Amino acid sequence: MSPKNSVLFLLFLLFHSTPIFLCDLTEGRHVGNGRKHNNDHHGHWGRKGNNGRPKGPNPPAHSPPPSHSDDRPYSSRVFDILSFGAAGDGVTDDSKALLQAWEAACSVGSATIEIPSEFKFLIRPVTLKGPCRPDLVLKIDGVIMGPSDLSDWPHKGLLQWINLMWVHDFTIRGNGIVDGRGSHWWEEPESLFQESTYRKSKIIPDTKPTAIRFYGSQNVTVRDISIVNSPQCHLKFDGSGGIRVSNITIMSPGNSPNTDGIHLQNTNKVEITDATIGCGDDCISIQTGCSEVYIHRVNCGPGHGISLGSLGRDNSLACVNNITAKNITIQDALSGVRIKTWQGGKGWVRGVTFSDVSVSNVETPIVIDQFYCDRRSCRNSSDAVAVSDVTFNGVRGTYARQPVYLACSDARPCEGVRLTDVELSPASERHLRGLLRQPLCWNAYGETRAPLLPQGIDCLQKGGAAALLLSGASAQDSHPSDQCLP
Ligand SMILES: *[C@@H]1O[C@H](CO)[C@@H](O)[C@H](O)[C@H]1NC(C)=O
Ligand SMILES: *[C@@H]1O[C@H](CO)[C@@H](O)[C@H](O)[C@H]1NC(C)=O
Ligand SMILES: *[C@@H]1O[C@H](CO)[C@@H](O)[C@H](O)[C@H]1NC(C)=O
Ligand SMILES: *[C@@H]1O[C@H](CO)[C@@H](O)[C@H](O)[C@H]1NC(C)=O
Ligand SMILES: *[C@@H]1O[C@H](CO)[C@@H](O)[C@H](O)[C@H]1NC(C)=O
C-alpha cells in the first residue's frame, strides 16, 4: 500500500468502522424465516424479502434474546441470499439482495453468506465493503453471473465487476461459478476499443472490468470456486497482503484478449496453489510492489504463462522481490515463465525462482525481456528496471519458437541469472521448417549447470562485473522516491 493509501485507509477506519460495528451488531440475530436448504443443518439466519428498508440499530421484537443468540455456534450464522429477496433465476437483478446479505453478515462475527447451488444470480457491478467482523465467508455454490450486455455497464467504465474493499480475515469458497459473461467485450476489436467515437457509436464503456478485485485487504482466502469468462482480468489483488488462493479454476477462451487469470499488484505474502488457469493473456501476472509470492502446482494454458511485468512503463518505479513459482505446468502458451520490463523504468526485480516447470508447445518457455514494447516503437533509454538473482531450474518440455530469450539492457545487464537443468526440444516437425529461432542471451550474466538442451542455451556470460560498474553512479543520482525500499 502506498503511504497515501495507508492514510486513507486509516481515515476510513476511524470514521466508518466504529459506527458500522455499533449499529449492526444485532443484525445477525434476526431470525430468518426464509427458504431452507437441506444441506444446512444449522438453520439460516437472515431476513426474508427485506425491501430495502434501512436497518435500524434496534433488533425487532421477534429477535431471540441475546443469551440464546450467543449460545448458538458461530457456524450457524448463515445469511442466504434467497432470504434477502434474491430471485436466483439468472434474469432478475439480484444485486440488492447480495448487498443486503453482505451488510447483515458483515456485522456479525464468523458469518457465512450463502449463494446456494442450483440457482443463478444476476449481479450488476457491486462494491462489497469492509471492514467486517472477522471470519466472514462468501460461500458460492450456485452461479453468480455478470450483466450480459455491454449497455448494462456504466458508460464511463468501471475497473471491476465485484469489488471487495478493505476486507480482512475473509474467505470465498464453494463449488460454484462466477461467470463474467465477457464474450461481448472480447468481440470488440482491440484497436477500436480505445477510440472514443467508436465507443460512442456502440455505447460501450472505455474500460474492460476485472471480474473479482480485492483492494486494501488482508488475510484473504479464495478457494474451490471457478471464475470464468471475465471481460478482462479474472481475479485481482491490489494493495493487499496475506492472500491464499487454492484449488480454483479460471477459464476463458484462448482468443479472449487481455483476459489475465490472476493479477497481483502492491500485494505481498501470497500463496497460490493447485490452480488451473487458461485464458487469453497472462496466467498469473505479477506487477510492481509484490513480494513473498509463492506459486505452487499451477497449470497454465492457453495464454501467456507466468509473467512478472510488464514493469517500469512510462519511466515508472518498479519493485518486485522474492517470487517463487514451483511445480508448474504450462501448455499451448506464448511464453512460459518470463520477466518483462520497459526501457526507461526504475527500480528492480530480484530474488525470482522458477523451478520444476513443465512446458508443452510453448512458443518461448524462458524469457527476460528488458526491451518490452507493445507499440510500434518505443523510445530507447539507458534507464531500466534492474533484474538480478533469477533462477530457472528444472524447465523441461517442448517449445514452438525459441527455447530461451534473455534480452537484457545495455546499461543494466541482468545479473545472477541461473539456468540449471533445462531440457527443451522443438514441439513438432512443422516448426522445424524455418520457424524456430536460436536461443538468445544479450547482456545476461550468471551461471549454468548441465543438463542444458538444446546446446545453444548455454549462452550466459560468466560473472557479473559489467553491471557493478554502473550501479554506483546511478544510485547516487536518484531521488529517494525513485528507489525501492531495501
Ligand atoms: C486469517 O483469517 C482466518 C479465516 O478468516 C482466521 O481463521 C485466521 O485466524 C486469520 N489469521 C490471522 C493471522 O489473522
Ligand atoms: C476443490 O474444489 C472442488 C470444487 O470445485 C471440490 O469439490 C474439491 O473438494 C476441492 N478439493 C479440495 C482438496 O479441497
Ligand atoms: C520469501 O518468500 C517466502 C514465501 O514464498 C517466505 O517464506 C520467505 O521468508 C521470504 N524470504 C525473505 C527473505 O523475505
Ligand atoms: C508436481 O505436482 C504434481 C501434482 O501434485 C506431482 O504429481 C508431481 O510429482 C510434482 N512434480 C514435481 C517435480 O515436484
Ligand atoms: C533504439 O536502439 C536500437 C538498437 O541500438 C536501434 O536499432 C533503434 O533504431 C533505436 N530506436 C530508436 C527509436 O531510437
Side-chain angles (χ1 to χ4, degrees):
M1 209 184 290
S2 72
K4 188 173 156 212
N5 286 343
S6 311
V7 169
L8 287 175
F9 181 45
L10 284 175
L11 284 174
F12 176 87
L13 283 177
L14 275 173
F15 290 113
H16 293 265
S17 61
T18 315
I20 287 174
F21 287 166
L22 290 182
C23 295
D24 294 358
L25 264 174
T26 54
E27 206 60 47
R29 300 189 186 124
H30 293 203
V31 173
N33 46 0
R35 199 187 281 260
K36 298 260 181 198
H37 292 279
N38 311 335
N39 59 354
D40 184 82
H41 302 293
H42 300 293
H44 289 227
W45 295 29
R47 292 164 299 170
K48 184 180 184 181
N50 179 307
N51 295 320
R53 271 184 296 115
K55 292 176 288 125
N58 302 317
H62 61 263
S63 281
S67 61
H68 176 190
S69 168
D70 293 348
D71 290 340
R72 287 250 179 168
Y74 276 113
S75 59
S76 70
R77 296 177 167 183
V78 176
F79 295 78
D80 188 327
I81 188 174
L82 293 169
S83 305
F84 289 82
D89 58 7
V91 182
T92 312
D93 177 4
D94 287 331
S95 316
K96 201 172 249 172
L98 176 61
L99 284 165
Q100 285 175 356
W102 175 271
E103 274 190 41
C106 176
S107 54
V108 178
S110 303
T112 296
I113 300 162
E114 173 71 45
I115 309 295
S117 60
E118 289 166 37
F119 292 90
K120 292 179 170 181
F121 300 92
L122 171 62
I123 302 294
R124 288 176 185 273
V126 287
T127 295
L128 304 175
K129 221 178 267 183
C132 295
R133 303 300 294 267
D135 303 337
L136 179 59
V137 176
L138 175 58
K139 189 154 179 287
I140 303 174
D141 291 316
V143 180
I144 291 184
M145 295 158 52
S148 68
D149 260 9
L150 295 189
S151 56
D152 291 339
W153 292 83
H155 188 224
K156 75 176 170 62
L158 278 178
L159 292 171
Q160 54 272 321
W161 167 36
I162 299 172
N163 185 25
L164 289 125
M165 286 172 84
W166 302 315
V167 296
H168 56 88
D169 305 350
F170 173 73
T171 301
I172 296 183
R173 61 185 173 88
N175 301 321
I177 299 171
V178 176
D179 184 351
R181 295 206 286 181
S183 58
H184 292 290
W185 298 86
W186 313 327
E187 284 159 12
E188 297 304 329
E190 275 307 293
S191 53
L192 291 175
F193 187 78
Q194 298 299 333
E195 207 205 286
S196 67
T197 46
Y198 176 78
R199 281 204 320 274
K200 275 185 194 132
S201 72
K202 298 203 62 181
I203 321 188
I204 59 174
D206 64 355
T207 317
K208 294 185 184 183
T210 287
I212 302 178
R213 176 254 206 169
F214 283 89
Y215 178 77
S217 296
Q218 295 289 327
N219 188 18
V220 169
T221 298
V222 178
R223 52 175 300 176
D224 305 342
I225 62 164
S226 299
I227 309 171
V228 302
N229 301 326
S230 176
Q232 202 212 47
C233 175
H234 287 75
L235 177 61
K236 180 170 181 170
F237 295 91
D238 188 359
S240 297
I243 307 299
R244 287 168 306 279
V245 177
S246 69
N247 188 36
I248 71 163
T249 303
I250 291 178
M251 282 291 157
S252 60
N255 60 358
S256 53
N258 296 332
T259 54
D260 284 343
I262 300 176
H263 184 110
L264 305 174
Q265 181 169 338
N266 292 319
T267 292
N268 58 23
K269 295 189 172 39
V270 180
E271 195 176 320
I272 301 173
T273 58
D274 301 294
T276 301
I277 302 173
C279 44
D281 209 305
D282 293 340
C283 170
I284 298 176
S285 163
I286 297 167
Q287 301 292 330
T288 186
C290 292
S291 63
E292 292 184 55
V293 177
Y294 185 69
I295 301 167
H296 190 206
R297 292 193 303 262
V298 171
N299 176 265
C300 296
H304 295 189
I306 294 180
S307 266
L308 276 63
S310 51
L311 299 166
R313 187 185 190 130
D314 299 327
N315 309 320
S316 62
L317 175 69
C319 309
V320 176
N321 142 47
N322 191 4
I323 312 293
T324 302
K326 200 170 182 252
N327 202 348
I328 308 293
T329 53
I330 305 174
Q331 68 282 335
D332 307 317
L334 215 59
S335 50
V337 288
R338 73 171 161 178
I339 299 172
K340 53 178 179 171
T341 70
W342 295 76
Q343 292 191 68
K346 298 186 243 325
W348 40 250
V349 180
R350 56 169 81 140
V352 180
T353 301
F354 300 108
S355 70
D356 297 316
V357 180
S358 165
V359 293
S360 165
N361 191 34
V362 169
E363 283 203 7
T364 314
I366 293 177
V367 177
I368 298 177
D369 182 1
Q370 288 195 287
F371 300 91
Y372 181 72
C373 175
D374 70 355
R375 309 159 189 154
R376 195 167 302 154
S377 78
C378 290
R379 257 191 319 141
N380 283 335
S381 166
S382 58
D383 260 341
V385 178
V387 175
S388 65
D389 187 14
V390 180
T391 299
F392 301 93
N393 173 40
V395 183
R396 301 182 197 88
T398 60
Y399 64 96
R401 185 175 168 86
Q402 192 168 19
V404 170
Y405 180 87
L406 303 175
C408 298
S409 137
D410 299 295
R412 292 182 175 277
C414 301
E415 288 229 65
V417 179
R418 280 175 292 276
L419 279 177
T420 60
D421 191 6
V422 177
E423 295 175 79
L424 297 164
S425 53
S428 73
E429 292 300 317
R430 183 169 62 88
H431 293 287
L432 291 175
R433 292 199 299 264
L435 283 175
L436 291 183
R437 301 271 181 95
Q438 291 300 312
L440 177 101
C441 291
W442 178 258
N443 291 322
Y445 288 78
E447 52 189 315
T448 55
R449 198 184 66 219
L452 290 171
L453 289 171
Q455 251 175 1
I457 65 175
D458 195 355
C459 59
L460 292 176
Q461 291 168 260
K462 307 291 176 247
L468 293 177
L469 296 174
L470 290 142
S471 56
S474 51
Q476 280 160 17
D477 302 345
S478 305
H479 187 265
S481 68
D482 283 353
Q483 291 174 27
C484 301
L485 296 173

